[in-house]
Structure formats: structure tokens, C-alpha cells
């Protein structure tokens, strides 16, 4: 008989049972096992840079190049912001940071100069390639290894909650907690982003876009009118000069109409081509294509036609996962009759719930009282925002 009850399980569920499974915890794992990966992420992603945490730029360079032997700030701005919304920030590789970093390390002489060194020329380009590899393949590899280390606190069974034995589960977690400790049958669980039994590299870790080209067009349209990407810039004395920033030359400069003078050196011109290829490769490898994921689990979504109650436990209801909820509603036979249950721990949870209900047109009369009181979910439940 088709189920009438669907649970949506997020990371807060595991954290409630004592698992140290936030992205902040993942950061700590990376710093212990591959600190370059964590540092590259904090250097090139989000609105600020890792370099801002050092009073002396030379200390930053040493920390980046020599790893664990150089003191590294434990509580950077990234702990609270970058890692707290990790999946969203995966889509925010800052192209300008990447190209500024490259430009600051390219040799300031051309290839016909006697002192020109191809080693010096390719070193910063190779660095960009290393960054892409660290934040794609290496990040995914370490993430999977970290998931396999997750454990629950001693005595967690005293706090286990009662679940409907006839329900099915849309599980955003990679752990097997539902199977191993709640004894939910495997056939009743859809691990929408994979589970830790899968081969390395199979877990879904990435941001949501339709495709890499669409993501690029959206970024380009957003930034093309910004002052820093104009053909000519103004200095402090009000004098105009040709914009020679590498990010501008890479993505906004029209060689045919505006000429080649902005490049200054042919080495910068050719370095841009290599850097664009490496940088855009990152986006092609880190797209969470929800449509493809939904297709892989079409049988599960197709089995939800009789659902009358949806209980959400420990999911942050972030925009990145909205397509899955929209797919649920699309398959329910009578979506206008579905009752929704939410467990909120904080004002932020309430705000997310209200936004979620507004987007999906869920009126207040269809929000049923949750059987799980806030007091049931102790302080660990507050971690629901840390990772989906």
C-alpha cells in the first residue's frame, strides 16, 4: 500500500544524536588531513579572503606554502560564514580573486627577455590548476572519508525519537543512522545525495545551477556593469587609464574593438587563456544538477502520490534544495490537502520555515503541530543550518 507519511531528514537529525557532522567539523578534518584544501577554499571563495586574517602578508604566504608548520588562524571569518553555508559558497569561486592572485605572481618581463623563465611563468598558472583540483576532486575525496568517520555520542539511544514505522524517508544525510539504529528498511529510504557505502566520488557535493554555461551567463550579466570591469578606470587624481586587471581582460575586454594594449605583456595574454580554462573547469565539476538527481530517483518520487503528511526533521529548508520539495508536491495527488510538520529550534528556523511556506504556497492551516517538542531537541539541534 502506498505510503501516506513522508519524512524529510536533514543534518540536524544526525547532530541531535551527537554526530559532529557540520561543515565546520568537516573544516577541522581538512585542516588535519589536507590543510591546503581548506586554505584554498577560504582564499578564493566567498566575499572575503583568507589573507585578511594575517597582519603581515608574508605570514599568509608562509601559511599557504608550508602548511601545518606555520600557525594558522583557527577562528577565521570563514568559520561562521563561509563554512556555515558551505554548499551555497561552493558556487562562489571568486574569479577576480583568482586572477588577482595569478597576476601578482606572473613575471613582469616578456618571453623575449633574456631573464625570462618558463618555470616562473608556469608556476602561478599551475597554482590555479592545483586550486581547482583541491576544491573538486580532493574536496570530494576527503568529504567521503570524513563521512565515514562520523559517530554518535555515547548514550544517544536514550534520546531516540519515535518514528512512524510505515513512513518513507527522503534522506539528505550520507550516514546510515536510520537503518542501523532506527531499523528503517533500506527500501523505505531515498538517499538523495548518496550514502557512505558508495564508491569514493559518488556522493553529491556541489551547488545548484542548471548547467555551467547558464551559471557563467548569470555571473557575467551580474558583473558586466560594475565599475571595476569598465574599459577605462579613474585614478585618485581623476585621470583615466586603461583597465588592465586580469579579470576584466579575461571576461569583459573585447580584443577586436578595444585593442590589445591593456595586456601590456604577451605573457599576461596567454596566461589568461590557461587560467580561464582551469577556473571554468571548477564550475563544470561542481554543479549539483538537481534535475539529473531527481531523474535517478524518479521511482521514489513517483511513489509519493498518496502522501498526506510531510514531517521535516533537521533540514534547513535552504533554496538549494527547493527543487526536491517542488518535485514532491508535483507527484502528490492532492497537494492542497497535505499537512506539513516542522521542528524549529530558533528564530532563524522560523524565518526559514515561513519563507519556505511562502515559496511553496503552503497556507498556515496546513501546518500541523509537530509531535516533537522543541525541548526534545537539545542544543545540538541548532546545527541544522550547518550542512545538508
Amino acid at each position: 500500500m502506498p505510503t501516506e507519511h513522508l519524512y524529510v531528514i536533514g543534518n540536524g537529525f544526525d547532530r541531535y544524536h551527537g554526530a559532529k557532522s557540520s561543515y565546520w567539523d568537516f573544516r577541522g578534518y581538512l585542516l588535519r588531513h589536507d590543510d591546503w584544501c581548506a586554505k584554498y577554499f577560504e582564499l578564493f571563495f566567498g566575499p572575503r579572503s583568507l589573507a585578511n586574517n594575517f597582519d603581515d602578508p608574508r605570514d599568509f604566504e608562509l601559511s599557504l606554502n608550508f602548511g601545518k608548520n606555520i600557525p594558522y588562524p583557527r577562528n577565521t571569518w570563514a568559520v561562521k560564514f563561509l563554512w556555515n553555508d558551505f554548499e551555497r559558497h561552493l558556487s562562489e569561486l571568486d574569479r577576480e580573486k583568482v586572477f588577482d592572485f595569478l597576476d601578482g605572481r606572473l613575471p613582469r618581463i616578456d618571453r623575449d627577455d633574456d631573464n625570462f623563465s618558463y618555470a616562473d611563468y608556469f608556476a602561478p598558472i599551475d597554482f590555479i590548476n592545483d586550486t581547482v583540483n583541491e576544491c573538486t576532486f580532493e574536496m570530494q575525496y576527503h568529504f567521503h572519508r570524513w563521512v565515514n568517520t562520523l559517530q554518535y555520542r555515547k548514550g544517544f539511544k536514550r534520546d531516540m525519537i519515535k518514528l512512524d514505522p510505515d513512513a518513507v524517508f527522503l534522506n539528505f544525510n550520507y550516514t546510515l543512522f536510520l537503518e542501523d539504529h532506527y531499523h528503517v528498511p533500506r527500501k523505505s529510504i531515498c538517499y538523495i545525495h548518496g550514502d557512505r557505502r558508495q564508491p569514493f566520488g559518488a556522493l553529491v557535493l556541489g551547488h545548484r545551477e542548471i548547467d555551467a554555461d547558464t551559471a557563467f551567463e548569470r555571473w557575467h550579466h551580474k558583473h558586466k556593469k560594475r565599475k571595476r570591469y569598465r574599459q577605462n578606470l579613474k585614478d585618485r587624481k581623476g585621470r583615466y587609464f586603461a583597465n588592465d586587471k586580469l579579470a576584466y581582460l579575461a571576461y569583459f575586454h573585447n580584443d577586436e574593438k578595444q585593442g590589445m594594449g591593456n595586456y601590456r605583456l604577451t605573457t599576461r595574454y596567454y596566461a589568461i587563456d590557461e587560467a580561464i580554462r582551469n577556473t571554468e573547469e571548477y564550475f563544470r565539476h561542481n554543479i549539483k544538477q538537481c534535475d539529473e538527481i531527481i531523474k535517478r530517483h524518479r521511482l521514489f518520487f513517483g511513489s509519493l502520490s498518496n502522501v498526506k503528511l510531510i514531517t521535516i526533521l533537521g533540514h534547513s529548508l535552504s533554496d538549494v534544495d527547493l527543487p526536491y520539495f517542488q518535485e514532491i508536491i508535483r507527484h502528490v495527488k492532492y497537494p492542497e490537502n497535505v499537512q506539513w510538520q516542522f521542528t524549529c529550534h530558533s528564530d532563524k528556523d522560523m524565518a526559514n520555515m515561513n519563507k519556505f511556506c511562502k515559496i511553496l504556497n503552503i497556507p498556515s492551516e496546513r501546518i500541523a503541530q509537530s509531535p516533537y517538542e522543541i525541548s526534545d531537541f537539545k542544543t545540538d539541534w541548532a546545527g541544522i543550518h550547518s550542512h545538508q
Side-chain angles (χ1 to χ4, degrees), residues 107-142:
R108 287 296 185 261
I109 54 178
D110 231 328
R111 289 184 297 179
D112 56 359
D113 191 289
D114 292 339
N115 295 320
F116 179 80
S117 165
Y118 276 100
D120 293 341
Y121 170 72
F122 282 111
I125 297 174
D126 290 342
F127 176 86
I128 302 303
N129 187 51
D130 290 342
T131 301
V132 170
N133 286 331
E134 286 287 346
C135 293
T136 52
F137 306 111
E138 293 299 319
M139 180 82 81
Q140 290 176 340
Y141 170 75
H142 287 296

Side-chain angles (χ1 to χ4, degrees), residues 6-158:
L6 168 68
Y7 285 95
V8 179
I9 304 294
N11 183 56
F13 184 80
D14 280 1
R15 285 181 57 82
Y16 165 69
H17 294 90
K20 295 183 177 180
S21 55
S22 71
Y23 280 124
W24 191 94
D25 295 312
F26 176 48
R27 176 183 183 263
Y29 179 90
L30 280 180
L31 289 176
R32 293 191 299 273
H33 294 87
D34 186 350
D35 62 316
W36 278 25
C37 191
K39 291 174 182 178
Y40 285 171
F41 184 65
E42 294 187 8
L43 176 64
F44 290 121
F45 290 76
R48 294 179 58 187
S49 170
L50 163 67
N52 295 342
N53 291 284
F54 293 85
D55 295 329
D56 188 333
R58 291 172 296 182
D59 291 337
F60 157 69
E61 295 284 352
L62 289 172
S63 175
L64 194 65
N65 293 329
F66 294 98
K68 299 174 184 177
N69 295 325
I70 300 297
Y72 182 70
R74 177 176 174 80
N75 294 314
T76 70
W77 73 273
V79 171
K80 184 176 181 181
F81 298 101
L82 193 66
W83 292 91
N84 194 48
D85 203 356
F86 178 68
E87 286 199 336
R88 180 173 70 85
H89 285 297
L90 277 174
S91 67
E92 295 180 356
L93 172 62
D94 191 318
R95 292 174 172 89
E96 187 170 359
K97 287 182 188 175
V98 171
F99 281 87
D100 283 351
F101 193 91
L102 171 66
D103 200 23
R105 285 150 183 79
L106 283 173
R108 287 296 185 261
I109 54 178
D110 231 328
R111 289 184 297 179
D112 56 359
D113 191 289
D114 292 339
N115 295 320
F116 179 80
S117 165
Y118 276 100
D120 293 341
Y121 170 72
F122 282 111
I125 297 174
D126 290 342
F127 176 86
I128 302 303
N129 187 51
D130 290 342
T131 301
V132 170
N133 286 331
E134 286 287 346
C135 293
T136 52
F137 306 111
E138 293 299 319
M139 180 82 81
Q140 290 176 340
Y141 170 75
H142 287 296
F143 184 80
H144 203 145
R145 290 193 63 182
W146 169 70
V147 167
N148 277 283
T149 69
L150 297 178
Q151 298 178 350
Y152 304 95
R153 69 172 179 270
K154 185 177 180 180
F156 72 87
K157 291 186 178 181
R158 293 192 301 268

Side-chain angles (χ1 to χ4, degrees), residues 296-363:
R296 290 202 297 268
H297 298 282
R298 61 185 179 276
L299 293 179
F300 175 82
F301 286 102
S303 71
L304 303 178
S305 60
N306 283 9
V307 164
K308 298 178 180 178
L309 175 62
I310 298 175
T311 302
I312 298 175
L313 297 178
H315 194 285
S316 64
L317 306 176
S318 61
D319 293 346
V320 72
D321 291 323
L322 274 175
Y324 304 121
F325 291 99
Q326 292 167 335
E327 187 70 9
I328 292 170
I329 294 173
R330 192 173 75 83
H331 283 278
V332 173
K333 188 182 298 183
Y334 301 109
E336 68 278 6
N337 295 330
V338 171
Q339 296 291 300
W340 295 74
Q341 294 177 332
F342 303 89
T343 300
C344 297
H345 180 84
S346 65
D347 291 341
K348 185 175 182 181
D349 297 348
M350 290 293 296
N352 284 351
M353 183 195 75
N354 290 331
K355 178 182 176 183
F356 175 85
C357 291
K358 184 176 181 180
I359 293 174
L360 297 184
N361 297 315
I362 302 172

Side-chain angles (χ1 to χ4, degrees), residues 177-356:
F177 194 66
L178 285 173
E179 290 185 58
D180 293 345
H181 298 288
Y182 279 87
H183 307 296
V184 177
R186 171 69 182 88
K187 64 181 181 180
S188 298
I189 306 172
C190 173
Y191 292 95
I192 191 68
H193 291 161
D195 67 72
R196 65 187 186 185
R197 291 170 294 202
Q198 294 179 266
F200 281 97
L203 299 184
V204 175
L205 177 66
H207 56 274
R208 176 175 62 86
E209 293 288 354
I210 298 174
D211 54 55
D213 292 335
T214 300
F216 175 79
E217 290 300 325
R218 187 176 300 164
W219 174 84
H220 192 272
H221 179 76
K222 179 181 178 180
H223 289 84
K224 65 182 180 181
K225 293 185 178 180
R226 298 183 68 180
K227 290 182 179 180
R228 67 183 64 187
Y229 295 131
R230 291 177 180 175
Q231 179 182 357
N232 296 299
L233 302 178
K234 185 186 296 186
D235 64 19
R236 294 181 179 180
K237 295 183 178 180
R239 296 173 298 193
Y240 285 93
F241 63 95
N243 190 347
D244 61 356
K245 290 178 67 68
L246 280 195
Y248 163 74
L249 296 173
Y251 295 107
F252 301 98
H253 183 71
N254 187 320
D255 296 344
E256 294 182 0
K257 292 183 179 181
Q258 299 169 2
M260 303 289 288
N262 297 50
Y263 292 96
R264 299 200 314 267
L265 299 169
T266 58
T267 50
R268 297 177 85 236
Y269 177 81
Y270 291 112
I272 285 174
D273 285 343
E274 288 292 326
I276 289 176
R277 181 177 60 81
N278 290 333
T279 302
E280 299 312 313
E281 190 74 9
Y282 167 81
F283 290 98
R284 284 190 288 274
H285 281 287
N286 284 271
I287 296 290
K288 179 199 289 184
Q289 296 187 11
C290 292
D291 290 346
E292 291 299 319
I293 297 170
I294 289 171
K295 287 178 183 178
R296 290 202 297 268
H297 298 282
R298 61 185 179 276
L299 293 179
F300 175 82
F301 286 102
S303 71
L304 303 178
S305 60
N306 283 9
V307 164
K308 298 178 180 178
L309 175 62
I310 298 175
T311 302
I312 298 175
L313 297 178
H315 194 285
S316 64
L317 306 176
S318 61
D319 293 346
V320 72
D321 291 323
L322 274 175
Y324 304 121
F325 291 99
Q326 292 167 335
E327 187 70 9
I328 292 170
I329 294 173
R330 192 173 75 83
H331 283 278
V332 173
K333 188 182 298 183
Y334 301 109
E336 68 278 6
N337 295 330
V338 171
Q339 296 291 300
W340 295 74
Q341 294 177 332
F342 303 89
T343 300
C344 297
H345 180 84
S346 65
D347 291 341
K348 185 175 182 181
D349 297 348
M350 290 293 296
N352 284 351
M353 183 195 75
N354 290 331
K355 178 182 176 183
F356 175 85

